[in-house]
Protein backbone atom coordinates (compact mmCIF):
# COMPACT_ATOMS: atom_id res chain seq x y z
CA UNK A 1 0.00 0.00 0.00
CA UNK A 2 1.11 3.53 -0.71
CA UNK A 3 0.17 6.78 0.99
CA UNK A 4 -0.86 9.44 -1.50
CA UNK A 5 -1.39 13.10 -0.67
CA UNK A 6 -3.14 15.36 -3.18
CA UNK A 7 -4.64 18.81 -2.53
CA UNK A 8 -4.43 18.32 1.21
CA UNK A 9 -6.13 14.91 1.18
CA UNK A 10 -4.12 12.03 2.62
CA UNK A 11 -5.26 8.52 1.85
CA UNK A 12 -3.99 5.00 1.28
CA UNK A 13 -4.51 3.54 -2.16
CA UNK A 14 -3.36 0.32 -3.78
CA UNK A 15 -0.14 0.66 -5.76
CA UNK A 16 -1.18 0.45 -9.42
CA UNK A 17 1.18 -0.91 -12.03
CA UNK A 18 0.43 -1.71 -15.63
CA UNK A 19 -1.52 -4.75 -14.38
CA UNK A 20 -5.27 -4.08 -14.08
CA UNK A 21 -6.69 -3.30 -10.66
CA UNK A 22 -8.34 -6.31 -9.03
CA UNK A 23 -11.00 -6.36 -6.29
CA UNK A 24 -14.10 -8.50 -5.68
CA UNK A 25 -16.45 -5.61 -5.01
CA UNK A 26 -16.02 -2.05 -6.27
CA UNK A 27 -14.74 0.33 -3.61
CA UNK A 28 -15.42 3.73 -5.15
CA UNK A 29 -16.26 7.36 -4.69
CA UNK A 30 -18.71 9.10 -7.04
CA UNK A 31 -17.63 12.44 -8.54
CA UNK A 32 -20.38 14.71 -9.88
CA UNK A 33 -19.77 18.08 -11.55
CA UNK A 34 -22.59 20.53 -10.87
CA UNK A 35 -23.41 24.21 -10.71
CA UNK A 36 -27.08 23.88 -9.73
CA UNK A 37 -28.78 21.89 -7.00
CA UNK A 38 -31.72 20.51 -8.96
CA UNK A 39 -34.38 17.90 -8.13
CA UNK A 40 -32.74 15.68 -10.76
CA UNK A 41 -29.41 15.90 -8.94
CA UNK A 42 -31.18 14.75 -5.78
CA UNK A 43 -32.51 11.75 -7.73
CA UNK A 44 -29.03 11.00 -9.09
CA UNK A 45 -27.60 10.96 -5.56
CA UNK A 46 -30.50 8.84 -4.27
CA UNK A 47 -29.88 6.33 -7.07
CA UNK A 48 -26.21 6.12 -6.09
CA UNK A 49 -27.09 5.43 -2.47
CA UNK A 50 -29.55 2.77 -3.62
CA UNK A 51 -26.82 0.81 -5.45
CA UNK A 52 -26.28 -2.79 -4.37
CA UNK A 53 -22.74 -1.57 -3.64
CA UNK A 54 -23.14 2.13 -2.79
CA UNK A 55 -20.22 4.57 -3.05
CA UNK A 56 -17.95 5.14 -0.05
CA UNK A 57 -18.17 8.86 -0.80
CA UNK A 58 -20.20 11.17 -3.02
CA UNK A 59 -18.30 14.27 -4.06
CA UNK A 60 -19.99 17.21 -5.78
CA UNK A 61 -17.56 19.55 -7.54
CA UNK A 62 -19.30 22.88 -7.01
CA UNK A 63 -18.70 25.50 -9.70
CA UNK A 64 -21.72 27.63 -8.74
CA UNK A 65 -19.79 30.50 -7.10
CA UNK A 66 -22.85 30.76 -4.86
CA UNK A 67 -22.91 30.31 -1.09
CA UNK A 68 -26.61 29.46 -1.29
CA UNK A 69 -26.05 26.73 -3.88
CA UNK A 70 -23.08 25.35 -1.94
CA UNK A 71 -25.27 25.12 1.16
CA UNK A 72 -27.93 23.30 -0.87
CA UNK A 73 -25.32 20.78 -2.05
CA UNK A 74 -24.13 20.28 1.54
CA UNK A 75 -27.71 19.64 2.68
CA UNK A 76 -27.66 16.52 0.49
CA UNK A 77 -25.03 15.09 2.87
CA UNK A 78 -22.33 14.90 0.22
CA UNK A 79 -18.74 16.12 0.20
CA UNK A 80 -18.73 19.52 -1.51
CA UNK A 81 -15.49 20.16 -3.42
CA UNK A 82 -15.15 23.86 -4.32
CA UNK A 83 -14.11 24.57 -7.87
CA UNK A 84 -10.86 26.58 -7.96
CA UNK A 85 -10.74 30.25 -8.87
CA UNK A 86 -10.76 30.99 -12.59
CA UNK A 87 -12.79 30.12 -15.64
CA UNK A 88 -14.73 26.88 -15.58
CA UNK A 89 -13.11 23.91 -17.30
CA UNK A 90 -14.60 20.42 -17.53
CA UNK A 91 -11.26 18.67 -17.17
CA UNK A 92 -10.21 20.68 -14.14
CA UNK A 93 -13.54 19.93 -12.48
CA UNK A 94 -12.95 16.20 -12.90
CA UNK A 95 -9.36 16.44 -11.71
CA UNK A 96 -10.15 18.31 -8.47
CA UNK A 97 -12.97 15.86 -7.73
CA UNK A 98 -10.70 12.88 -8.26
CA UNK A 99 -7.98 14.44 -6.07
CA UNK A 100 -10.49 14.65 -3.22
CA UNK A 101 -11.72 11.06 -3.65
CA UNK A 102 -10.32 8.73 -0.95
CA UNK A 103 -11.42 5.50 -2.70
CA UNK A 104 -9.36 3.35 -5.10
CA UNK A 105 -12.04 3.66 -7.80
CA UNK A 106 -13.74 6.80 -9.10
CA UNK A 107 -17.21 6.79 -10.62
CA UNK A 108 -17.40 9.87 -12.83
CA UNK A 109 -21.10 10.52 -13.31
CA UNK A 110 -23.12 13.30 -14.87
CA UNK A 111 -25.62 15.24 -12.78
CA UNK A 112 -28.18 14.17 -15.42
CA UNK A 113 -27.69 10.38 -15.20
CA UNK A 114 -29.76 7.89 -13.23
CA UNK A 115 -28.31 4.41 -12.69
CA UNK A 116 -30.19 1.18 -12.05
CA UNK A 117 -29.70 -0.30 -8.59
CA UNK A 118 -27.16 -3.01 -9.52
CA UNK A 119 -25.36 -1.31 -12.38
CA UNK A 120 -22.09 -0.43 -10.65
CA UNK A 121 -21.60 -3.84 -9.04
CA UNK A 122 -22.58 -5.80 -12.14
CA UNK A 123 -20.51 -3.60 -14.43
CA UNK A 124 -17.42 -3.93 -12.27
CA UNK A 125 -17.75 -7.69 -12.01
CA UNK A 126 -18.21 -7.99 -15.78
CA UNK A 127 -15.10 -5.89 -16.40
CA UNK A 128 -13.08 -7.98 -13.94
CA UNK A 129 -14.25 -11.16 -15.67
CA UNK A 130 -12.58 -9.83 -18.84
CA UNK A 131 -9.43 -8.83 -16.94
CA UNK A 132 -10.33 -5.14 -17.36
CA UNK A 133 -10.28 -2.32 -14.83
CA UNK A 134 -12.59 0.25 -16.45
CA UNK A 135 -16.28 0.05 -17.30
CA UNK A 136 -18.55 2.73 -18.66
CA UNK A 137 -22.25 2.81 -19.37
CA UNK A 138 -24.26 4.28 -22.23
CA UNK A 139 -27.97 4.31 -23.10
CA UNK A 140 -29.04 1.57 -25.52
CA UNK A 141 -28.85 2.11 -29.26
CA UNK A 142 -32.13 2.73 -31.10
CA UNK A 143 -34.00 -0.54 -31.43
CA UNK A 144 -31.73 -2.34 -28.96
CA UNK A 145 -33.77 -4.86 -26.96
CA UNK A 146 -31.25 -6.54 -24.66
CA UNK A 147 -28.36 -5.05 -22.73
CA UNK A 148 -25.18 -5.22 -24.81
CA UNK A 149 -21.57 -5.28 -23.64
CA UNK A 150 -18.49 -4.84 -25.80
CA UNK A 151 -14.78 -4.19 -25.33
CA UNK A 152 -13.43 -0.94 -26.78
CA UNK A 153 -9.67 -0.76 -27.34
CA UNK A 154 -7.18 0.95 -29.64
CA UNK A 155 -8.21 -1.28 -32.55
CA UNK A 156 -11.88 -0.25 -32.67
CA UNK A 157 -11.69 3.18 -31.01
CA UNK A 158 -12.88 5.84 -33.48
CA UNK A 159 -12.73 8.94 -31.30
CA UNK A 160 -16.38 8.81 -30.30
CA UNK A 161 -16.83 5.46 -28.57
CA UNK A 162 -14.26 5.91 -25.78
CA UNK A 163 -14.87 6.08 -22.05
CA UNK A 164 -17.84 8.39 -21.52
CA UNK A 165 -17.86 10.79 -18.58
CA UNK A 166 -21.63 10.34 -18.34
CA UNK A 167 -20.99 7.26 -16.20
CA UNK A 168 -17.57 5.62 -15.97
CA UNK A 169 -15.80 3.63 -13.25
CA UNK A 170 -12.03 4.18 -13.40
CA UNK A 171 -9.15 3.42 -10.99
CA UNK A 172 -8.48 6.68 -9.15
CA UNK A 173 -4.72 6.43 -9.52
CA UNK A 174 -4.97 6.23 -13.31
CA UNK A 175 -6.46 9.73 -13.36
CA UNK A 176 -4.05 11.05 -10.73
CA UNK A 177 -1.16 9.75 -12.82
CA UNK A 178 -2.56 11.16 -16.06
CA UNK A 179 -5.11 13.92 -15.36
CA UNK A 180 -7.61 15.12 -17.92
CA UNK A 181 -6.04 17.79 -20.17
CA UNK A 182 -7.49 21.24 -19.57
CA UNK A 183 -6.75 22.48 -23.10
CA UNK A 184 -9.24 19.92 -24.44
CA UNK A 185 -12.28 22.20 -24.31
CA UNK A 186 -14.79 19.39 -24.97
CA UNK A 187 -14.64 15.60 -25.50
CA UNK A 188 -12.00 15.44 -22.77
CA UNK A 189 -13.17 11.89 -22.05
CA UNK A 190 -12.36 10.77 -25.60
CA UNK A 191 -8.89 12.33 -25.46
CA UNK A 192 -8.23 10.62 -22.10
CA UNK A 193 -9.47 7.33 -23.55
CA UNK A 194 -6.99 7.47 -26.43
CA UNK A 195 -4.15 8.06 -23.98
CA UNK A 196 -5.25 5.11 -21.84
CA UNK A 197 -5.48 2.71 -24.79
CA UNK A 198 -2.08 3.75 -26.11
CA UNK A 199 -0.37 3.67 -22.71
CA UNK A 200 -1.63 0.31 -21.52
CA UNK A 201 -2.66 -1.41 -24.78
CA UNK A 202 -5.74 -2.60 -22.89
CA UNK A 203 -9.44 -2.24 -23.56
CA UNK A 204 -12.35 -1.12 -21.44
CA UNK A 205 -15.85 -2.51 -21.10
CA UNK A 206 -18.75 -0.59 -22.59
CA UNK A 207 -22.21 -1.53 -21.33
CA UNK A 208 -25.12 -0.26 -23.42
CA UNK A 209 -28.01 -0.83 -21.07
CA UNK A 210 -31.63 0.05 -20.47
CA UNK A 211 -30.78 0.54 -16.79
CA UNK A 212 -29.26 3.96 -17.44
CA UNK A 213 -31.28 7.13 -18.03
CA UNK A 214 -29.56 10.14 -19.57
CA UNK A 215 -31.80 13.12 -18.84
CA UNK A 216 -29.73 16.10 -19.99
CA UNK A 217 -32.29 18.69 -21.22
CA UNK A 218 -29.73 20.14 -23.66
CA UNK A 219 -29.48 16.98 -25.73
CA UNK A 220 -31.93 16.05 -28.44
CA UNK A 221 -33.50 18.61 -30.72
CA UNK A 222 -33.00 21.63 -28.48
CA UNK A 223 -31.52 24.81 -29.90
CA UNK A 224 -28.35 24.54 -27.83
CA UNK A 225 -27.79 20.86 -28.43
CA UNK A 226 -26.10 21.14 -31.83
CA UNK A 227 -23.66 23.76 -30.52
CA UNK A 228 -22.58 21.39 -27.77
CA UNK A 229 -22.19 18.54 -30.25
CA UNK A 230 -20.25 20.80 -32.63
CA UNK A 231 -17.76 21.68 -29.90
CA UNK A 232 -17.35 17.99 -29.08
CA UNK A 233 -16.71 17.26 -32.77
CA UNK A 234 -14.13 20.05 -32.99
CA UNK A 235 -12.34 18.73 -29.90
CA UNK A 236 -12.33 15.19 -31.30
CA UNK A 237 -11.00 16.43 -34.63
CA UNK A 238 -8.22 18.48 -33.01
CA UNK A 239 -7.14 16.19 -30.18
CA UNK A 240 -8.29 12.64 -30.99
CA UNK A 241 -9.16 11.79 -34.60
CA UNK A 242 -8.38 14.29 -37.37
CA UNK A 243 -10.74 12.49 -39.74
CA UNK A 244 -13.68 14.23 -38.11
CA UNK A 245 -12.79 17.61 -39.65
CA UNK A 246 -11.36 16.44 -42.98
CA UNK A 247 -12.63 17.81 -46.34
CA UNK A 248 -15.10 14.98 -46.98
CA UNK A 249 -16.84 15.70 -43.68
CA UNK A 250 -16.94 19.41 -44.53
CA UNK A 251 -18.47 18.67 -47.95
CA UNK A 252 -21.07 16.36 -46.42
CA UNK A 253 -22.21 19.04 -43.99
CA UNK A 254 -22.33 21.66 -46.75
CA UNK A 255 -24.48 19.42 -48.97
CA UNK A 256 -26.82 18.71 -46.06
CA UNK A 257 -27.17 22.46 -45.66
CA UNK A 258 -28.07 22.86 -49.33
CA UNK A 259 -30.64 20.07 -49.02
CA UNK A 260 -32.17 21.81 -45.99
CA UNK A 261 -32.46 25.03 -48.01
CA UNK A 262 -34.27 23.18 -50.78
CA UNK A 263 -36.63 21.70 -48.19
CA UNK A 264 -37.25 25.19 -46.77
CA UNK A 265 -35.78 24.40 -43.38
CA UNK A 266 -33.70 27.53 -42.76
CA UNK A 267 -32.70 26.75 -39.17
CA UNK A 268 -31.50 23.30 -40.16
CA UNK A 269 -29.58 24.79 -43.07
CA UNK A 270 -27.95 27.38 -40.79
CA UNK A 271 -26.85 24.60 -38.45
CA UNK A 272 -25.22 22.54 -41.22
CA UNK A 273 -23.51 25.55 -42.83
CA UNK A 274 -22.22 26.70 -39.43
CA UNK A 275 -20.79 23.25 -38.69
CA UNK A 276 -19.16 23.04 -42.15
CA UNK A 277 -17.53 26.44 -41.66
CA UNK A 278 -16.31 25.52 -38.16
CA UNK A 279 -14.76 22.27 -39.46
CA UNK A 280 -13.02 24.19 -42.24
CA UNK A 281 -11.60 26.90 -39.97
CA UNK A 282 -10.38 24.32 -37.44
CA UNK A 283 -7.98 23.01 -40.08
CA UNK A 284 -6.19 26.37 -40.04
CA UNK A 285 -6.34 27.42 -36.40
CA UNK A 286 -7.61 26.03 -33.12
CA UNK A 287 -10.97 27.60 -32.27
CA UNK A 288 -11.31 29.66 -29.10
CA UNK A 289 -13.97 27.59 -27.41
CA UNK A 290 -14.64 27.80 -23.70
CA UNK A 291 -15.27 24.65 -21.69
CA UNK A 292 -18.72 25.37 -20.31
CA UNK A 293 -22.12 24.04 -19.39
CA UNK A 294 -24.92 24.30 -21.94
Amino acid sequence: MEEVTMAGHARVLPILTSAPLKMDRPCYGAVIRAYQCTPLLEQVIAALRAQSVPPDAILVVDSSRSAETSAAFASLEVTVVPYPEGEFNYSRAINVGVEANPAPLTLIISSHVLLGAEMVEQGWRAAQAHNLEIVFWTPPAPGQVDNVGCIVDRRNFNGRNGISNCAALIPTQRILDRPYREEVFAAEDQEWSRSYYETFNRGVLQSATHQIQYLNPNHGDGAQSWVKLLNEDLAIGLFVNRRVIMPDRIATRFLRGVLAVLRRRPERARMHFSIARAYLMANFRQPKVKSRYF
Side-chain angles (χ1 to χ4, degrees), residues 77-99:
E77 298 182 348
V78 300
T79 299
V80 179
V81 182
Y83 184 82
E85 293 295 326
E87 190 174 273
F88 177 78
N89 179 278
Y90 277 121
S91 295
R92 189 181 307 165
I94 296 174
N95 293 337
V96 298
V98 172
E99 288 172 2

Side-chain angles (χ1 to χ4, degrees), residues 98-239:
V98 172
E99 288 172 2
N101 177 23
L105 292 170
T106 296
L107 175 68
I108 301 173
I109 181 169
S110 166
S111 58
H112 303 110
V113 167
L114 294 178
L115 301 182
E118 297 183 347
M119 277 186 59
V120 175
E121 181 179 16
Q122 290 179 347
W124 175 252
R125 291 186 185 279
Q128 294 278 275
H130 289 89
N131 199 34
L132 303 174
E133 63 180 4
I134 294 177
V135 57
F136 71 100
W137 297 266
T138 59
Q144 178 182 319
V145 177
D146 299 321
N147 297 333
V148 175
C150 69
I151 295 175
V152 182
D153 57 25
R154 63 189 305 176
R155 294 170 299 178
N156 61 355
F157 175 57
N158 60 20
R160 299 181 187 277
N161 59 344
I163 306 159
S164 169
N165 282 340
C166 292
L169 191 63
I170 304 172
T172 301
Q173 193 65 43
R174 297 297 189 215
I175 305 175
L176 294 176
D177 289 342
R178 202 284 191 180
Y180 286 77
R181 288 173 55 190
E182 294 185 15
E183 63 269 32
V184 182
F185 50 81
E188 70 288 336
D189 46 7
Q190 303 305 303
E191 192 280 329
W192 194 91
S193 299
R194 185 181 74 166
S195 174
Y196 180 83
Y197 301 142
E198 291 179 351
T199 300
F200 297 103
N201 195 25
R202 180 184 303 133
V204 303
L205 180 65
Q206 176 186 10
S207 176
T209 173
H210 292 271
Q211 296 184 62
I212 186 173
Q213 298 181 62
Y214 184 64
L215 304 175
N216 188 339
N218 292 320
H219 269 272
D221 295 326
Q224 294 176 314
S225 179
W226 74 266
V227 179
K228 175 177 171 61
L229 295 176
L230 168 61
N231 288 344
E232 291 173 355
D233 274 359
L234 291 175
I236 291 170
L238 290 166
F239 300 106

